[in-house]
Amino acid sequence: MDNYQNNPGVPPINPDQTQTAGQPYGNPYGQQQSYQQYQQQGYPNFTGQGGAGGTLYVTDYARQHLRSIAGWTKFLSIVMLISIVLFIGLFLYFIINPSDMLSGSSYSGGYGYGYEYSRSMTETVLRAVFIFYVVVMAIFLLPTIWALSSAAKMKKAALYGDAQDLEDGLRKWKYVCVFFGVLTIIYLAFLALAIIGAAFAGGM
């Protein structure tokens, strides 16, 4: 039984060859081929239901780009994940020990009821601020995890020609884009409100 019969989602490397299970597909036709050449050969690279009921053809160049995207996405996601974990750890430390932020400031070496009350209020505010930062960092873990999952799926799709992995990888990447898109809209809305508020305040 040839490759295409074993896995209809991937074209055979050669009609007369079989492939060892778990081994990645290289160039299925021995040379770079265009979309038109794939159509002439009659072998789809990725098969699945297209928007117009057709089949999606992915060239070898597209596979190379997909692997490159997956690699860079994984690298950036790991860097972002490490940064988030470090920041969360740092913020948690200051939530537990807010007094360390005040050492060396005007609050150090003071005494009296007013001093103690002011210092206590300042520590409470600092805790609230750092709790907010921890929540924000925790929220940013979501797109980071989605990006890591997307990178793994896209790499697997590029290597093995699995249409389901390609779909899953693109869906997770869509989540990342939607997350930052919504975040950008919120930022622009606050920016517009700030500009309008400044304009009204200046006109008064």
Side-chain angles (χ1 to χ4, degrees):
M1 186 178 293
D2 60 36
N3 289 318
Y4 190 72
Q5 291 171 324
N6 283 327
N7 187 355
V10 183
I13 293 178
N14 187 303
D16 299 325
Q17 292 180 346
T18 59
Q19 181 179 9
T20 304
Q23 294 298 316
Y25 288 89
N27 188 324
Y29 304 110
Q31 59 182 356
Q32 299 290 351
Q33 299 204 12
S34 65
Y35 171 79
Q36 290 79 11
Q37 288 173 311
Y38 276 119
Q39 285 184 312
Q40 292 170 3
Q41 290 280 354
Y43 297 123
N45 203 340
F46 291 92
T47 60
Q49 295 299 320
T55 301
L56 174 66
Y57 290 82
V58 179
T59 65
D60 289 337
Y61 286 117
R63 278 193 176 190
Q64 291 177 9
H65 296 323
L66 195 61
R67 289 186 65 181
S68 179
I69 291 170
W72 281 108
T73 300
K74 182 178 180 180
F75 168 74
L76 293 173
S77 300
I78 291 174
V79 171
M80 188 171 180
L81 182 61
I82 294 173
S83 301
I84 289 174
V85 171
L86 289 176
F87 274 115
I88 288 178
L90 181 64
F91 295 151
L92 287 175
Y93 172 80
F94 285 124
I95 289 172
I96 298 171
N97 303 290
S99 58
D100 289 354
M101 287 286 293
L102 302 178
S103 60
S105 68
S106 58
Y107 289 101
S108 61
Y111 59 91
Y113 174 78
Y115 162 79
E116 293 295 338
Y117 177 79
S118 178
R119 183 185 178 94
S120 176
M121 287 297 296
T122 303
E123 289 181 355
T124 301
V125 171
L126 285 175
R127 280 196 178 97
V129 170
F130 286 123
I131 288 173
F132 171 76
Y133 286 157
V134 168
V135 172
V136 171
M137 291 291 102
I139 292 174
F140 272 90
L141 281 174
L142 281 175
T144 305
I145 294 171
W146 290 334
L148 276 172
S149 177
S150 174
K153 291 291 185 180
M154 287 194 290
K155 182 179 179 180
K156 188 176 177 183
L159 288 174
Y160 300 102
D162 192 315
Q164 186 61 51
D165 284 326
L166 179 63
E167 179 183 337
D168 293 341
L170 292 176
R171 184 176 68 252
K172 293 295 179 64
W173 186 245
K174 181 194 74 173
Y175 294 161
V176 176
C177 294
V178 170
F179 176 90
F180 284 105
V182 171
L183 201 64
T184 302
I185 291 172
I186 294 173
Y187 164 75
L188 292 175
F190 276 108
L191 183 62
L193 289 174
I195 293 173
I196 294 173
F200 275 107
M204 294 178 62

